[in-house]
Amino acid sequence: MTRYLQIVVCAAGPAADVTQLIAAATKQSWTTAVTATPSALDFIGPEAIERLTGHPVRSTYRSSPGTRRSLPTADALIIAPATYNSVNKIALGIADNYALTTIAELIGRQVPTVVVPFVNTALATRAPFQRAVASLRDERVRIIGTEDGWEPHPPGSGNSRQRDFPWTAALEAATRLADDMPASNTHRG
Ligand SMILES: Cc1cc2nc3c(=O)[nH]c(=O)nc-3n(C[C@H](O)[C@H](O)[C@H](O)COP(=O)(O)O)c2cc1C
């Protein structure tokens, strides 16, 4: 059975490596598509992503408000890398770009969702971020964090931490969550 994995990338260094996630997911029979925040477009190579997924990278509404097509169905959602900015916005329910609107709706539909933050220690200790993580966990969003061996990095060390980004842990978590969904709770149609 082919399942559909929606990937959202935010504007941080590891976005350039999202092809690793696509390749791993494809190997495990997931169909994938990538949505980027507007700022993330500067971090990715859309052509390589489109070659691997077979779908254009989405970052804006397809057409004018009121005429856009309904969201594609998804069996799982991975938001990676998730910036400080977007984690805070997602938790608050802010939907001021296409990627955040997609996320808000998929979480609302209880699509299994995994978030992999890529933030430094200075940002990670801020109260708004801590509240955002707790609030998303309350909504049954899976946040990859300390218990997965994924820690915020010291400020200025993002480039070297990028190669350790836990794409595999994210995919495993999403697969487990999707496997655990009751058959009646599909998101088709
Ligand atoms: C080169 C560069 C690297 C950045 N790295 C990070 C990062 O690792 N984590 C983060 O939260 N923000 C990072 N930022 C800041 C975000 O890109 C910025 O907050 C942006 O508004 C996030 O937009 P988005 O959440 O809509 O993707 C970086 C910005 C630049 C220009």
Side-chain angles (χ1 to χ4, degrees):
M1 181 189 61
T2 301
R3 295 186 289 186
Y4 171 54
L5 173 65
Q6 175 67 60
I7 300 165
V8 174
V9 293
C10 304
D17 303 325
V18 71
T19 46
Q20 292 179 28
L21 173 60
I22 299 165
T26 305
K27 246 189 214 163
Q28 294 179 25
S29 301
W30 287 93
T31 297
T32 58
V34 172
T35 293
T37 64
S39 303
L41 289 174
D42 290 340
F43 289 75
I44 59 171
E47 299 82 11
I49 292 172
E50 288 170 18
R51 252 196 319 277
L52 285 171
T53 63
H55 300 288
V57 174
R58 298 267 323 253
S59 69
T60 57
Y61 294 92
R62 193 179 298 275
S63 51
S64 54
T67 59
R68 89 184 159 96
R69 291 206 328 214
S70 61
L71 281 175
T73 56
D75 296 292
L77 166 66
I78 295 178
I79 304 158
T83 53
Y84 172 81
N85 176 57
S86 281
V87 169
N88 290 328
K89 287 179 16 176
I90 293 163
L92 290 172
I94 293 171
D96 62 355
N97 61 48
Y98 178 74
L100 289 180
T101 306
T102 301
I103 292 166
E105 192 162 328
L106 292 180
I107 292 174
R109 290 189 197 181
Q110 294 172 20
V111 170
T113 298
V114 175
V115 175
V116 192
F118 192 73
V119 295
N120 66 35
T121 47
L123 296 174
T125 53
R126 289 291 316 280
F129 183 79
Q130 303 260 334
R131 279 196 293 268
V133 167
S135 160
L136 287 168
R137 285 185 166 139
D138 282 350
E139 288 199 84
R140 310 219 328 249
V141 170
R142 175 79 160 84
I143 313 277
I144 301 290
T146 307
E147 61 284 5
D148 305 285
W150 182 237
E151 303 279 2
H153 48 274
S157 68
N159 282 352
S160 52
R161 180 60 65 90
Q162 189 175 320
R163 72 176 75 95
D164 300 326
F165 195 78
W167 297 110
T168 305
L171 181 60
E172 283 172 1
T175 302
R176 259 195 309 276
L177 290 176
D179 286 347
D180 288 347
M181 287 302 279
S184 58
N185 196 0
T186 60
H187 305 281
R188 310 253 167 237

